[in-house]
């Protein structure tokens, strides 16, 4: 008997979709080419990077702030292999968790590369080149994304690395060159800076974190510079000579001009990610791609071929695990005849550095460009009691609310634990809440979340602690 649904790819999009479909009574299978489930996120993305961010942040604190709190531990010593083991064990626990959940929900798993040979037919080629064809009523493509490469620069994952290589470096590079001041560059740049590297970031644009509220990005850059990371904006790396003992990178102004040489022990290429559709047989199956080689889908995740859907990094939208997960749930519900839906206006974006950066909804630049009149409420962590006593006062909360209706349009937090705090804004926005709704909601004292309440009060210029 054919399956009701086969999902190709077991990342956050794919495995969540498979589980939701099984909950809805479908006979489901996943096809995964890698040895473990969980995709980029669990194996070489979110989970290992957060493990290293957590461990390196504590290492940094032990060296710099424990003393101020009366904790005498001496200078902390780094045991990098042990830190890597801690990270690997975290990954292992998570990928095994996905295997357990798939089994618990009676989702069959096929290990191998899946190729769509016809609507309803998938050929799976396993590592030993054996092939088998499985049949299904519906297919969800959840094959994710891959590292974007720089022309003429070979990523060997040893000295010239992508995020994947940067998560397994065997020793702390004395000099780390990061190409791209996006999320990966700043998160992994922070990890290695804390562990002892001199980190230099080259960014093509005249700002870091394109897309993020500019006010936040500028303040964040200043904080990172205070921590020791150096930046060269409006510049591009055009070549890297790896013939000698140190790498020699040619760096030019973005607009063109004379090249300079920057030396480094390791170069991290973090200039974005591209949809992964290799070997899927999409062209032969008639599945259309968009202008950026992403699988083209309609508002119900349907591709150009009936019965074939796509979700996650392989389609348009932010390349985020929680976006992929929500699409996985929505498409499973749509296939089951329910009304699955993702609200793309309310997707949080978090950068897990210290301090963290979290944002949701529109930036000031987006509101200005759209001609929307808005009010701004801003509150700094220097005026928050908990942040002060914790000696963590860098950053602020900014709330943007519609000038006429007071509806919250965007929330931007630069500060400790911003990633957890943004959830409050997400709920408020999902319910169409106003800044006054947040301002009149009782927030526990003393917590960092009081800064969110105060920023909401600041929209009406009535914050108390400023
Ligand atoms: P993926 O997770 O990429 O999974 C796709 C799966 O499909 C893979 O397992 C792949 O092996 C499999 N596959 C591909 N082709 C085939 C085929 N033909 N047959 C069988 N299997 C196939 N996002 C966040 O939200 N928060 C974070 O903190 C975060 N940190 C990140 C850190 C790093 C270093 C990186 C690289 C990414 C990070 N991301 C983060 C992004 C996040 O990992 C992705 O958005 C997410 O994994 C996308 O999920 P997906 O299911 O669409 O695809
Ligand atoms: P990114 O798109 O966030 O940043 C890439 C940066 O590189 C941009 O600032 C861009 O202007 C710059 N750039 C592009 N070409 C360049 C060049 N030739 N020279 C110099 N700079 C150049 O991509 P990144 O950091 O690689 O991350 C990929 C994806 O992974 C992101 O879309 C993100 O959503 C996801 N991710 C999410 C995380 C999170 O949610 N915390 C963590 C890590 C990754």
């Amino acid at each position: 008997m054919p399956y009701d649904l086969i999902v190709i790819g077991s990342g956050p999009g794919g495995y969540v979709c498979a589980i939701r479909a099984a909950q809805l009574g479908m006979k489901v299978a996943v096809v995964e080419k890698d040895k473990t489930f969980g995709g980029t996120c669990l194996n070489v993305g979110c989970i290992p990077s957060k493990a290293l961010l957590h461990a390196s942040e504590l290492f940094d604190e032990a060296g710099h702030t424990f003393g101020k709190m009366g904790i005498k531990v001496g200078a902390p010593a780094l045991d990098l292999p042990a830190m890597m083991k801690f990270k690997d064990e975290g990954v292992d626990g998570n990928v095994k968790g996905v295997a357990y959940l798939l089994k618990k929900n009676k989702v069959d798993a096929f290990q191998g590369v899946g190729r769509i040979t016809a609507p309803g037919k998938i050929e799976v080629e396993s590592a030993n080149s054996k092939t088998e064809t499985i049949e299904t009523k519906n297919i969800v493509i959840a094959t994710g994304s891959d590292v974007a490469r720089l022309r003429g620069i070979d990523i060997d994952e040893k000295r010239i690395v992508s995020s994947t290589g940067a998560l397994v470096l065997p020793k702390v590079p004395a000099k780390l060159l990061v190409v791209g001041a996006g999320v990966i560059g700043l998160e992994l740049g922070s990890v290695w800076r804390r562990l002892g590297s001199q980190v230099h970031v080259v960014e093509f644009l005249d700002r870091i974190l394109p897309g993020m509220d500019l006010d936040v990005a500028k303040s964040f850059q200043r904080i990172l510079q205070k921590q020791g990371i150096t930046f060269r904006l409006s510049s591009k790396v055009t070549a890297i000579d790896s013939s000698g003992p140190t790498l020699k990178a040619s760096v030019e102004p973005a607009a063109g001009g004379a090249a300079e040489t920057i030396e480094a022990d390791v170069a991290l290429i973090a200039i974005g990610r591209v949809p992964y559709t290799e070997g899927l047989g999409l062209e032969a199956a008639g599945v259309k791609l968009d202008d950026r080689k992403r699988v083209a889908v309609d508002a119900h995740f349907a591709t150009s071929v009936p019965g074939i859907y796509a979700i996650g990094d392989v389609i348009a939208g932010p390349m985020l695990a929680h976006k992929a997960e929500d699409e996985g749930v929505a498409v499973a519900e749509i296939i089951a005849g329910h009304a699955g839906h993702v609200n793309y206006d309310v997707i949080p974006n978090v950068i897990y550095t210290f301090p963290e950066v979290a944002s949701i909804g529109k930036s000031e630049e987006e509101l200005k460009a759209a001609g929307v009149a808005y009010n701004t409420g801003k509150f700094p962590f220097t005026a928050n009691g908990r942040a002060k006593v914790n000696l963590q006062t860098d950053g602020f909360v900014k709330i943007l609310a519609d000038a006429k209706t007071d509806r919250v349009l965007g929330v931007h937090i630069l500060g400790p634990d911003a990633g957890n705090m943004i959830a409050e804004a997400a709920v408020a926005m999902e319910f169409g809440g106003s800044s006054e709704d947040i301002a009149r909601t009782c927030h526990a004292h003393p917590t960092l979340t009081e800064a969110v309440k105060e920023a909401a009060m600041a929209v009406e210029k009535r914050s108390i602690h400023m």
Side-chain angles (χ1 to χ4, degrees):
M1 203 178 67
Y3 286 97
D4 294 310
L5 170 66
I6 296 180
V7 184
I8 309 180
S10 73
Y15 84 76
V16 168
C17 173
I19 290 172
R20 184 69 188 122
Q23 285 175 346
L24 291 166
M26 287 185 240
K27 183 171 150 61
V28 187
V30 292
V31 180
E32 172 54 60
K33 69 177 171 52
D34 289 348
K35 282 200 198 87
T36 51
F37 298 119
T40 304
C41 178
L42 274 69
N43 292 282
V44 291
C46 326
I47 295 299
S49 61
K50 265 77 259 179
L52 289 183
L53 278 155
H54 177 63
S56 63
E57 188 176 319
L58 294 181
F59 179 75
D60 200 49
E61 267 197 60
H64 295 100
T65 45
F66 275 19
K68 292 182 197 155
M69 294 185 275
I71 308 168
K72 289 190 176 173
V73 288
L78 176 65
D79 181 346
L80 188 58
M83 193 179 281
M84 290 294 173
K85 186 163 171 268
F86 155 78
K87 173 208 64 177
D88 292 341
E89 284 170 358
V91 168
D92 191 50
N94 275 282
V95 299
K96 283 188 177 143
V98 172
Y100 161 79
L101 288 173
L102 291 174
K103 211 168 176 181
K104 180 180 159 211
N105 285 282
K106 303 192 172 43
V107 174
D108 289 342
F110 293 85
Q111 210 209 331
V113 178
R115 186 167 65 89
I116 302 169
T117 50
K121 282 203 171 75
I122 295 173
E123 185 187 82
V124 182
E125 183 179 353
S126 57
N128 58 11
S129 297
K130 266 202 187 142
T131 60
E132 65 178 309
T133 295
I134 38 180
E135 296 197 13
T136 176
K137 292 180 193 153
N138 299 285
I139 295 172
V140 169
I141 300 168
T143 49
S145 61
D146 192 13
V147 172
R149 281 146 215 280
L150 263 177
R151 211 176 322 132
I153 296 178
D154 228 18
I155 294 178
D156 62 14
E157 298 295 12
K158 296 219 154 37
R159 291 203 296 161
I160 303 180
V161 297
S162 70
S163 51
T164 303
L167 290 166
V168 293
L169 293 179
K171 69 177 210 200
V172 180
K175 283 188 179 171
L176 173 68
L177 171 68
V178 176
V179 187
V183 196
I184 291 180
L186 300 184
E187 284 191 351
L188 295 180
S190 288
V191 165
W192 291 106
R193 198 273 307 155
R194 293 166 185 167
L195 299 182
S197 294
Q198 211 179 306
V199 176
H200 185 61
V201 182
V202 175
E203 164 60 44
F204 187 79
L205 299 175
D206 60 358
R207 56 163 297 174
I208 68 167
L209 294 175
M212 187 69 79
D213 188 274
L214 190 57
D215 184 19
V216 172
K218 280 186 174 161
S219 301
F220 184 45
Q221 187 185 337
R222 278 195 293 273
I223 293 170
L224 292 174
Q225 283 170 183
K226 259 200 306 189
Q227 293 174 357
I229 295 182
T230 53
F231 290 89
R232 184 178 297 222
L233 303 180
S234 306
S235 302
K236 59 184 176 192
V237 170
T238 50
I240 301 179
D241 175 2
S242 57
S243 58
T246 54
L247 300 173
K248 290 192 169 60
S250 305
V251 184
E252 284 177 20
E260 266 182 67
T261 301
I262 294 181
E263 296 202 14
D265 301 288
V266 171
L268 163 61
I269 311 295
I271 58 160
R273 293 180 62 84
V274 290
Y276 186 82
T277 54
E278 213 178 290
L280 260 179
L282 295 187
E283 206 180 332
V287 175
K288 291 210 172 82
L289 303 183
D290 68 13
D291 55 340
R292 290 169 64 185
K293 300 205 166 136
R294 301 172 295 203
V295 177
V297 292
D298 67 12
H300 295 100
F301 310 102
T303 69
S304 50
V305 177
I308 305 182
Y309 301 80
I311 55 166
D313 277 12
V314 81
I315 68 168
M319 288 183 166
L320 296 171
H322 40 283
K323 176 256 192 192
E325 287 185 40
D326 284 7
E327 289 177 344
V329 168
V331 77
E333 292 177 346
I334 289 167
I335 293 170
H338 300 267
H341 174 70
V342 176
N343 179 2
Y344 290 99
D345 290 333
V346 183
I347 295 189
N349 196 346
V350 179
I351 305 169
Y352 298 85
T353 43
F354 191 87
E356 289 184 347
V357 184
S359 74
I360 190 159
K362 304 285 186 224
S363 65
E364 286 205 52
E365 294 69 41
E366 284 171 328
L367 292 177
K368 279 181 192 143
V372 177
Y374 63 94
N375 291 325
T376 306
K378 206 167 163 181
F379 190 81
F381 282 104
T382 43
N384 173 272
R386 186 66 181 277
K388 265 161 105 162
V389 77
N390 286 356
L391 305 176
Q392 297 181 331
T393 53
D394 275 342
F396 56 84
V397 178
K398 182 162 81 173
I399 295 186
L400 308 172
D402 189 286
K404 265 204 215 120
T405 64
D406 192 36
R407 186 181 176 136
V408 177
L409 302 174
V411 177
H412 306 275
I413 309 177
L414 170 63
D417 220 18
N420 282 323
M421 288 196 285
I422 203 73
E424 170 181 6
V427 174
M429 289 175 73
E430 196 61 54
F431 280 83
S434 63
S435 78
E436 188 177 354
D437 288 329
I438 298 177
R440 291 194 186 275
T441 302
C442 191
H443 288 64
H445 176 77
T447 62
L448 298 168
T449 67
E450 287 171 289
V452 178
K453 177 186 169 106
E454 291 270 8
M457 292 161 93
V459 172
E460 296 289 329
K461 303 198 172 22
R462 60 182 192 88
S463 63
I464 301 287
H465 293 91
M466 211 170 41

